[in-house]
């Protein structure tokens, strides 16, 4: 049966190992990974892409665990003060790096907004909830813009086709998929009644091609 002293020594040894693990796994990586390539700062656009790149960046530095871990604490009397202090300081250092990598990945305006968050978990979760919701709203807006687009005879058809293609490009950039054949049919269907003969010609040509295949 372990005596209280042995139990405390065991916890101390475990804590020292944990401290060593933090220092050995984080600090050397920070020293050796090149900082030449930096993430573009997030400024409310393409959050999902930025988030995935930031997560990879933090994982590369072995700091991703600090996005979900609560602040490190030690109960009084579990270990000696020196060991406890050193372990806590090692955790705080890595937590500080994680927090500032995220904040420095934000635009100046967003930095001011999110720097008030007290923990990395709160910071990361706040960004996730706010901008994933905004991404969804933007996707719905783009889809509606595409569906409701109406061609008119008062504008050049070529210019209007280019407008539709720009909307499609924005939709694809948001990670949504529109197969090419659907894009073509959608554009044909949006031609005005003045182009009915041409629309029928294109549809007939498309059917002939499909039958041949």
């Amino acid at each position: 049966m372990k005596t209280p002293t042995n139990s405390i020594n065991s916890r101390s040894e475990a804590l020292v190992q944990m401290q060593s693990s933090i220092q050995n796994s984080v600090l050397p990586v920070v020293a050796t990974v090149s900082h030449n390539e930096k993430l573009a700062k997030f400024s409310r656009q393409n959050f999902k892409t930025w988030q995935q790149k930031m997560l990879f960046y933090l994982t590369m530095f072995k700091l991703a665990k600090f996005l979900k871990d609560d602040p490190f604490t030690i109960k009084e009397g579990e270990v000696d003060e020196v060991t406890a202090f050193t372990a806590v300081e090692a955790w705080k250092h890595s937590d500080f790096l994680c927090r500032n990598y995220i904040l420095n990945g934000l635009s100046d305006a967003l930095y001011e907004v999110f720097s008030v968050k007290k923990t990395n978990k709160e910071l990361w979760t706040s960004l996730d909830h706010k901008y994933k919701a905004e991404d969804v709203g933007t996707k719905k807006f783009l889809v509606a813009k595409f569906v409701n687009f109406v061609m008119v005879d008062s504008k050049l058809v070529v210019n209007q086709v280019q407008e539709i293609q720009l909307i499609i490009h924005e939709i694809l950039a948001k990670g949504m998929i529109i197969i090419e054949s659907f894009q073509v049919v959608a554009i044909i269907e949006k031609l005005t009644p003045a182009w009915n003969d041409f629309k029928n010609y294109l549809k007939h040509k498309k059917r002939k091609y499909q039958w041949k295949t």
Side-chain angles (χ1 to χ4, degrees):
M1 181 175 180
K2 288 185 178 180
T3 65
T5 301
N6 288 336
S7 179
I8 290 175
N9 288 338
S10 297
R11 285 194 289 269
S12 297
E13 290 174 4
L15 198 56
V16 169
Q17 290 176 356
M18 184 203 69
Q19 171 203 341
S20 176
S21 175
I22 291 173
Q23 292 174 327
N24 292 335
S25 65
V26 176
L27 299 182
V29 176
V30 173
T32 57
V33 174
S34 172
H35 289 265
N36 292 332
E37 292 187 15
K38 293 186 178 181
L39 289 177
K41 290 184 180 291
F42 173 62
S43 56
R44 301 179 187 273
Q45 297 295 323
N46 301 320
F47 173 72
K48 185 176 180 181
T49 299
W50 176 87
Q51 184 187 47
Q52 290 175 338
K53 288 182 177 180
M54 177 57 72
L55 185 58
F56 172 77
Y57 189 71
L58 294 174
T59 301
M60 180 175 66
F61 284 87
K62 300 185 179 180
L63 295 170
K65 69 186 295 292
F66 295 94
L67 298 176
K68 57 184 178 180
D69 286 2
D70 292 318
F72 184 68
T73 58
I74 300 173
K75 294 180 181 179
E76 186 177 352
E78 281 192 338
V79 294
D80 66 88
E81 292 183 4
V82 175
T83 302
F85 176 80
T86 306
V88 170
E89 287 302 304
W91 192 95
K92 285 181 178 179
H93 176 75
S94 299
D95 185 68
F96 172 83
L97 291 176
C98 179
R99 177 180 180 79
N100 282 278
Y101 280 135
I102 297 171
L103 289 174
N104 287 322
L106 304 176
S107 66
D108 290 345
L110 294 182
Y111 186 103
E112 295 297 326
V113 173
F114 288 95
S115 60
V116 299
K117 301 301 179 183
K118 295 181 179 179
T119 65
N120 289 327
K121 182 191 291 187
E122 184 184 2
L123 170 61
W124 190 252
T125 301
S126 296
L127 286 164
D128 186 74
H129 288 174
K130 179 172 177 60
Y131 293 107
K132 271 190 177 176
E134 285 194 6
D135 265 2
V136 171
T138 302
K139 288 178 181 179
K140 289 180 179 178
F141 169 76
L142 289 172
V143 171
K145 189 176 179 181
F146 174 75
V147 171
N148 296 326
F149 187 93
V150 177
M151 286 193 182
V152 294
D153 291 323
S154 59
K155 294 181 180 180
L156 290 174
V157 171
V158 173
N159 292 344
Q160 295 180 84
V161 169
Q162 289 176 342
E163 287 182 47
I164 298 175
Q165 289 176 326
L166 286 174
I167 297 172
I168 291 172
H169 176 74
E170 289 182 273
I171 290 173
L172 296 175
K174 285 293 180 182
M176 292 181 281
I177 298 174
I178 307 178
I179 59 174
E180 188 175 346
S181 58
F182 179 86
Q183 297 177 35
V184 173
V185 172
I187 292 174
I188 292 173
E189 288 300 326
K190 288 180 181 295
L191 291 168
T192 66
W195 289 77
N196 278 344
D197 289 343
F198 185 64
K199 286 168 66 175
N200 291 332
Y201 165 76
L202 291 176
K203 291 178 183 177
H204 179 68
K205 184 177 180 181
K206 186 174 185 297
R207 281 198 298 270
K208 286 179 64 178
Y209 174 77
Q210 288 176 331
W211 290 338
K212 286 181 180 180
T213 58

